[in-house]
Amino acid sequence: MLLGPAEVRFTSRADGDQRTGPEPWTRLRQVHGTRVVVVEEPGGGTGEEADAAVTQVRGAHLAVFTADCAPVALASPEGVIGAAHAGWRGLAGGVLEHTVEAMRSLGASRIEAALGPCIHPECYEFGTAELDAVAASLGHTVRGRTADGRPALNLPAGVRAALTRVGVSLVHVDEACTACSPDCFSHRARGDEERQAMVVWLPT
């Protein structure tokens, strides 16, 4: 799919485990944090402990890997792009806000975002204390219910809330729930060790 001047791809279970491969992608060591890496050459930042990357380098492919967390691609008309891995801890801590700040420091103005497959509230039962902490950070839209009525985290709503407060439009949302969909890997629902990828890049 296209996101402004960028191309974005979300892989599925059919594509296999995407954590290793010959492609010169930026592959971060994701730790559910908020650190953002600025990539200055194709493959730059690989192995760094971070959960987001930004660049304006053509030919640099920014990748994040998920099996329930939210993969978010970002792009601006100036050709600044970003990729973020947003689990609940990173989301509450501000990983998306930090990614947007890093993009703007590279000259991005209007930024648009796309959200890939992630776990949805009907499958994401959540502890009360943790849910209260996320709601305190992002607002009460993150509160949801599981299919059987238990308290749950609405991860897509949290992504939208974080982006909205820093002026970013969420223009594409993949509605697949990783826990429900047979097309996705899910650590929470099935204990999958494999990961799907989201990759964003500027065509050369």
Side-chain angles (χ1 to χ4, degrees), residues 47-195:
E48 291 199 35
E49 190 174 282
D51 283 84
V54 300
T55 194
Q56 53 189 347
V57 175
R58 290 194 177 274
H61 289 60
L62 309 181
V64 295
F65 304 93
T66 62
D68 287 321
C69 294
V72 182
L74 305 103
S76 78
E78 295 81 11
V80 182
I81 60 173
H85 163 259
W88 75 266
R89 289 182 179 86
L91 189 63
V95 66
L96 295 179
E97 294 92 327
H98 288 308
T99 305
V100 169
E101 180 182 4
M103 291 177 66
R104 288 180 173 148
S105 73
L106 294 177
S109 59
R110 178 175 54 85
I111 299 172
E112 295 181 336
L115 170 63
C118 64
I119 196 167
H120 285 211
E122 60 267 26
C123 298
Y124 201 9
E125 184 176 346
F126 219 67
T128 301
E130 292 85 357
L131 187 56
D132 287 346
V134 181
S137 174
L138 294 171
H140 290 290
T141 61
V142 303
R143 297 183 184 275
R145 291 284 173 182
T146 63
D148 60 0
R150 298 177 184 274
L153 175 64
N154 189 328
L155 191 57
V159 168
R160 186 178 295 278
L163 293 173
T164 297
R165 70 182 183 186
V166 288
V168 174
S169 299
L170 184 58
V171 298
H172 172 82
V173 176
D174 189 312
E175 297 294 346
C177 170
T178 49
C180 295
S181 173
D183 296 327
C184 298
F185 296 116
S186 173
H187 178 73
R188 188 176 183 92
R190 294 177 288 278
D192 291 332
E193 295 184 1
E194 302 90 344
R195 298 293 183 266

